[in-house]
Amino acid sequence: MRWKAVLPAILGLVAACGATPGIEIRAAVIAMPAGPATAVYFEVVNNGDATDRIIGVQSEVGRAEIHRSFLDGGLMHMEPVSEVSVAGGEVIVFEPGGLHVMLLDVDELEIGQTATVTVVFEVAGAIDVEALVTSYAEIAP
Ligand SMILES: [Cu+2]
């Protein structure tokens, strides 16, 4: 039977089409740490119809918290966020100047390496993403 050879090709095709139901996390990067803290950025896509919520984050390379940056009086501040709602069909972008995963007491990292970041959803559960360590200049040119 040729099925064994065909199945991985089919699975690969499904992944490439982004046809996965539910939550998808893409383009995950970790800004190269310049000190004990840095940030993780990614896009969360809710391919389903129902709202889900990010209720926690974890990482193998540091203590992780959800943060939001905001401008106040011309100065950039940030604050912890306890949860992030992602409506059905919605894309939420974690990016410089907005939502991010803060990594504290972060390990030494090298550009080009990947590290696992776990994003915990209320419904979808824990989703692991491999985040690529990237220079901040490349993330926020
Ligand atoms: Cu932060």
Side-chain angles (χ1 to χ4, degrees), residues 38-39 65-69 78-80 98 100-104:
T38 190
E65 298 176 355
I66 307 169
H67 281 190
R68 182 195 309 278
S69 296
M78 59 185 177
E79 62 186 2
H100 55 279
V101 172
M102 200 82 213
L103 285 183
L104 304 158

Side-chain angles (χ1 to χ4, degrees), residues 90-139:
E90 192 177 19
V91 179
I92 300 277
V93 181
F94 282 59
E95 60 188 344
L99 284 167
H100 55 279
V101 172
M102 200 82 213
L103 285 183
L104 304 158
D105 305 322
V106 68
D107 294 348
E108 276 189 37
L109 301 173
E110 286 178 15
I111 286 175
Q113 87 171 81
T114 59
T116 305
V117 176
T118 305
V119 184
V120 184
F121 291 82
E122 189 177 48
V123 179
I127 298 180
D128 284 347
V129 288
E130 290 302 308
L132 181 67
V133 179
T134 307
S135 73
Y136 190 79
E138 260 182 75
I139 296 170

Side-chain angles (χ1 to χ4, degrees), residues 66-82:
I66 307 169
H67 281 190
R68 182 195 309 278
S69 296
F70 60 97
L71 269 175
D72 182 27
L75 287 174
M76 191 67 90
H77 300 269
M78 59 185 177
E79 62 186 2
V81 175
S82 57

